[in-house]
Amino acid sequence: MRKNDLVRTQERMYTTALPPQHSDSDRRIIDAPGPSLHLYQVWKGNNRFCFNGRIILGPDSRSLFLTVSLIVVPVILFCAFVSQRLVEQFPRHIGNLIVVLCPLFAVYVVILLLITSARDPGIIPRSLHPPEPEDDGYVSSISSDWPGSQNGPPGVPPTKDTMVNGVIVKIKYCQTCMLYRPPRCSHCSICNNCVERFDHHCPWVGQCIGKRNYRFFFMFVSSTTMLCLYVFAFCWVNIMKIMDAYHCNLWRALSRSPVSGFLILYTFGAAWFVGGLTGFHLYLIFTNQTTYENFRYRYNVKMNPYSRGCFRNVGEVFFSKIPRSKHNFREMVKGDSSSLYATSMSLRHPMSPEMPKTSSDIEMGKRQAVAAEDLEDIQSQIDSFGGLERCGTQPRHTNWDHKTNWESSPDIQMLAAEFGMEHGSTGRQKIEGANDLKT
C-alpha cells in the first residue's frame, strides 16, 4: 500500500501540469486581482477631475479664474464706490435694495458658470473595438491611433445613413472613440470626447457645451447680460444724480466718480459681447440648431430635420428632462484592467481579412503565453507606442496549435525545465527519505 502511494507521489512530483492555453506568467497577469481604481483615474479624455471624480472640468479649466474675476471685480467696484452714493440719493430701503441685488445677482451668475463648467456635457462612452462591418463581419484589430489607419479600420465605412423625423441624416465614424456618432453628436478635439448634441467648446467656461449643460450655459450668458445692463444703468443714474446735485456737466460728474465712468465703458462693451451671444443662441433655440450645425450645415427652416416648431423647440431646451450622465466617474474599476487590455492588444495579431473575428479569437489573443522575463520589455514597448490601445502588426497564424506553440517556445521550455528540476530535486529528497524510513 505504501509502495503505491510512493509511486503516485513520484508521478506527481515529476509531472508538470501545464495548462492548455496559459503559461504561469500569463496566468499571473490575468488572475492578479490588482488595485481597484476609480473610473476618473483611468479616463482617456483630456478632462480634469476634482473632489475624487465628483466634478469634471475641461482641460482649459483655468480660464474659469479669468471669467469669475471679470464678473466679480466690477461688482465689487460697484458696491464699494457707486452704491454708497445711490443709498444717499434714493430712499433708504430702495437704496439698500439696489446695493443688495447686485452681489446676489453676481453670485447667481457665478453659480450658473460653475454648474455649466463642472457638469458632464453629455459624453458618449467609448467603444473598445470598432463596430462590426455590415459586409463580411470582419473587425479590424488595428487601433484608430495607429499610423496608416487615418481613414478608419478596413471594412468599416466612414459614414452611415440614419432616419431622423423622416429625413436621411449621415452619421460619421469616430476614429478615436471607435463608434458611429449619434445624430447631433460631434467629437471635441480639445476635450477628446464625443459629446451628445455638441454645440461648441467654450473657452470662457472651459468646458464643452452639450445636451446636459446647454440650458445652464444659456442661462449663464443671458444672466450675465442682465447683470451688465444692471450695473450700466445704475452707474448712469449715479452720474445723473451727481450732475443734478453739483449742477455740473458730464465730464465734471465723471471726474467726481471715475469708477462709474470705468464701469459704464466696461459694461457697455461686455453687454455687446454677451448680449449678442444671447441673441444668437435665442435664434438657435427657436430654430432648434446648435452652433456647430449652424456654421457647418447652414440649415434652412425646411431642411432642418430637428426643428419641431418654435414652441416645441423652446420646450425641448428649457422644459425637457435632462438625461442622466452615461458615466459614473467614481465607479470602481480594475486598476490593471487597462494595462492588461493594452498588453493583450500589443500581443494580439490582426487576422487575415478572409477569416471573421469572433469573441473566442479575442480571448485567444489575450491568452497567448508570455514569459515572465519578457514582461518589462513588453511594457516598455507599450509605453513607446504612446497609448494603451496600440496593436501588433504581424499577421496572425491561422493554423495555430496550442500544444505545438507551447513546446516550441524556448522561454516556456526553460521555465518548464526549471520547474521540473526544482520539483524533481524535491521529489528525490522525499523518495530518499521514504526509503530511509522503509529501511
Side-chain angles (χ1 to χ4, degrees), residues 5 19 32 57 98 122 129 146 159 166 183 193 201 225 290 295 297 307 319-320 370 372 390 406:
D5 295 338
L57 302 171
I98 294 173
H129 306 285
W146 190 266
T159 60
N193 296 314
H201 183 94
T225 304
T290 64
F295 281 91
Y297 301 114
S307 180
F319 302 104
S320 61
V370 183
R390 301 296 190 260
W406 181 279

Side-chain angles (χ1 to χ4, degrees), residues 78-99 234 237-238 241-242 245-246 256-257:
F78 178 82
C79 295
F81 298 97
V82 180
S83 61
Q84 294 179 358
R85 294 181 179 272
L86 294 176
V87 173
E88 297 174 357
Q89 297 294 333
F90 285 93
R92 188 171 183 84
H93 62 282
I94 297 179
N96 292 333
L97 181 62
I98 294 173
V99 175
F234 280 102
V237 170
N238 183 43
K241 292 291 183 180
I242 293 175
Y246 294 95
R256 288 183 173 274
S257 180

Side-chain angles (χ1 to χ4, degrees), residues 181-202:
R181 303 168 187 163
R184 317 195 81 175
C185 172
S186 183
H187 189 89
C188 176
S189 59
I190 300 176
C191 294
N192 196 25
N193 296 314
C194 277
V195 180
E196 191 175 5
R197 200 187 184 277
F198 177 78
D199 190 87
H200 69 288
H201 183 94
C202 181

Side-chain angles (χ1 to χ4, degrees), residues 26-324:
D26 197 12
R27 189 188 294 111
R28 284 195 296 268
I29 296 174
I30 296 177
D31 296 339
S36 295
L37 299 175
H38 294 283
L39 177 60
Y40 73 91
Q41 293 176 312
V42 294
W43 186 251
K44 295 183 180 181
N46 298 332
N47 303 92
R48 296 180 178 180
F49 296 87
C50 300
F51 301 104
N52 295 328
R54 292 180 175 88
I55 294 178
I56 176 173
L57 302 171
D60 50 350
S61 57
R62 293 181 180 178
S63 61
L64 281 174
F65 296 100
L66 175 62
T67 306
V68 172
S69 63
L70 291 176
I71 297 172
V72 173
V73 171
V75 172
I76 294 176
L77 294 177
F78 178 82
C79 295
F81 298 97
V82 180
S83 61
Q84 294 179 358
R85 294 181 179 272
L86 294 176
V87 173
E88 297 174 357
Q89 297 294 333
F90 285 93
R92 188 171 183 84
H93 62 282
I94 297 179
N96 292 333
L97 181 62
I98 294 173
V99 175
V100 171
L101 282 179
C102 185
L104 290 179
F105 205 178
V107 171
Y108 171 72
V109 171
V110 172
I111 291 176
L112 288 175
L113 170 63
L114 296 179
I115 292 177
T116 305
S117 178
R119 190 181 184 89
D120 176 14
I123 301 174
I124 302 295
R126 300 192 182 202
S127 176
L128 295 179
H129 306 285
E132 292 282 348
E134 299 178 356
D135 48 356
D136 56 356
Y138 168 69
V139 176
S140 173
S141 62
I142 301 179
S143 172
S144 59
D145 295 334
W146 190 266
S149 63
Q150 300 299 324
N151 296 327
V156 178
T159 60
K160 285 177 62 176
D161 293 337
T162 185
M163 190 70 67
V164 177
N165 296 329
V167 180
I168 298 178
V169 177
K170 288 186 177 296
I171 57 176
K172 296 182 179 180
Y173 176 77
C174 180
Q175 301 177 8
T176 303
C177 300
M178 290 192 290
L179 52 81
Y180 282 102
R181 303 168 187 163
R184 317 195 81 175
C185 172
S186 183
H187 189 89
C188 176
S189 59
I190 300 176
C191 294
N192 196 25
N193 296 314
C194 277
V195 180
E196 191 175 5
R197 200 187 184 277
F198 177 78
D199 190 87
H200 69 288
H201 183 94
C202 181
W204 300 99
V205 174
Q207 180 66 282
C208 290
I209 307 302
K211 188 172 184 178
R212 298 191 70 251
N213 62 350
Y214 180 79
R215 179 186 305 177
F216 302 102
F217 170 77
F218 177 81
M219 294 171 63
F220 161 70
V221 173
S222 58
S223 300
T224 305
T225 304
M226 296 174 63
L227 179 61
C228 290
L229 295 178
Y230 183 91
V231 176
F232 177 82
F234 280 102
C235 284
W236 268 115
V237 170
N238 183 43
I239 295 297
M240 298 298 293
K241 292 291 183 180
I242 293 175
M243 293 174 62
D244 292 341
Y246 294 95
H247 302 285
C248 59
N249 57 15
L250 177 63
W251 301 111
R252 288 186 176 273
L254 289 175
S255 64
R256 288 183 173 274
S257 180
V259 176
S260 296
F262 168 75
L263 291 178
I264 287 174
L265 294 177
Y266 177 83
T267 54
F268 178 77
W272 271 106
F273 175 72
V274 292
L277 197 60
T278 301
F280 174 68
H281 280 279
L282 278 174
Y283 163 74
L284 295 179
I285 291 173
F286 290 150
T287 58
N288 203 336
Q289 298 183 59
T290 64
T291 303
Y292 180 81
E293 293 170 350
N294 181 264
F295 281 91
R296 186 175 181 86
Y297 301 114
R298 298 289 181 179
Y299 283 141
N300 295 326
V301 178
K302 296 182 179 180
M303 295 177 56
N304 187 359
Y306 308 105
S307 180
R308 301 185 299 170
C310 181
F311 293 102
R312 290 187 178 181
N313 294 338
V314 173
E316 181 179 335
V317 174
F318 294 105
F319 302 104
S320 61
K321 184 179 179 180
I322 298 178
R324 298 186 61 180

Side-chain angles (χ1 to χ4, degrees), residues 8-16 420 423-424 426-427 430:
R8 285 196 296 268
T9 303
Q10 184 177 0
E11 291 176 354
R12 285 197 299 268
M13 292 303 170
Y14 282 98
T15 302
T16 304
H423 287 275
T426 306
K430 290 187 177 182

